[in-house]
Structure formats: C-alpha cells, structure tokens
Amino acid sequence: TSPPANPDPTTWSLHDVLTWLRSKHFSEDVLEKFIEQDITGDVLLSLDDLKVLKEEIGTLAFEKRVRVLNAIAALRASLEKRKLKPQDRARRRTRNR
C-alpha cells in the first residue's frame, strides 16, 4: 500500500490516516483502534505518549505502541523538513558541521 495522495498530514481524514498506517504495515487491530477513536491527521501528529496510546486509543501491546510512535515521529520530521525553505536547510547543514 502506498501513502496517502495528500502530502500534508495536518489535513488528513481518517481514511488518509488508515492509508498511511497500512503503508507502514500496521495490523488491522491497530487500524480498528484508530477507526474507533476517529483519528485524523492533526490528531495523529499530536500523539506522542505511550500511555495515551494504551489508555485512550486502546493499543495494548507495548511493541505496537512504540512502532506507532516511531512512525509518527518520522512523519513529523519529514513534515518539518518540507516546511524548511532551501536557505534554511543550507543554514542547518552549516551549523551541523
């Protein structure tokens, strides 16, 4: 499965989030939890706590919660990279040397 056609996760619908989860090879039980909670892109990007995934979303397996949070963190990082202007990227590279 490929990622959602819409490149901006802040505007993703539940369907887009499910498409993204499938592209990351998450199981149907994880998808069901996101359906139950009607998780859209803006909410997805705000998820950053293992406890919330367990208690609020209902994802019980620790390994699954860690994988979800890691995937969300990578998504956030890619979003930040796209927001940077070319000159900002050049400045960052210069500072990181």
Side-chain angles (χ1 to χ4, degrees):
T1 309
S2 56
N6 178 354
D8 182 4
T10 63
T11 63
W12 284 355
S13 65
L14 171 62
H15 176 75
D16 293 326
V17 169
L18 297 176
T19 300
W20 177 77
L21 288 168
R22 284 186 186 100
S23 77
K24 298 297 179 189
H25 308 289
F26 285 103
S27 60
E28 287 300 315
D29 63 315
V30 171
L31 274 67
E32 285 297 321
K33 299 297 182 184
F34 279 71
I35 292 168
E36 288 171 16
Q37 298 299 323
D38 195 26
I39 303 295
T40 56
D42 58 332
V43 175
L44 176 76
L45 291 170
S46 73
L47 293 174
D48 63 357
D49 187 321
L50 287 171
K51 190 174 179 181
V52 169
L53 279 174
K54 180 178 182 180
E55 295 175 2
E56 300 295 328
I57 309 296
T59 306
L60 298 178
F62 179 78
E63 178 268 339
K64 288 181 183 179
R65 286 183 279 144
V66 169
R67 284 188 57 231
V68 168
L69 288 182
N70 287 341
I72 294 169
L75 180 62
R76 261 192 235 108
S78 72
L79 182 62
E80 287 302 314
K81 282 182 184 175
R82 282 183 287 178
K83 284 183 179 178
L84 287 177
K85 296 175 186 165
Q87 64 269 25
D88 294 335
R89 285 191 197 118
R91 275 191 222 124
R92 261 196 179 175
R93 270 184 260 141
T94 305
R95 272 190 253 144
N96 291 335
R97 289 184 181 173

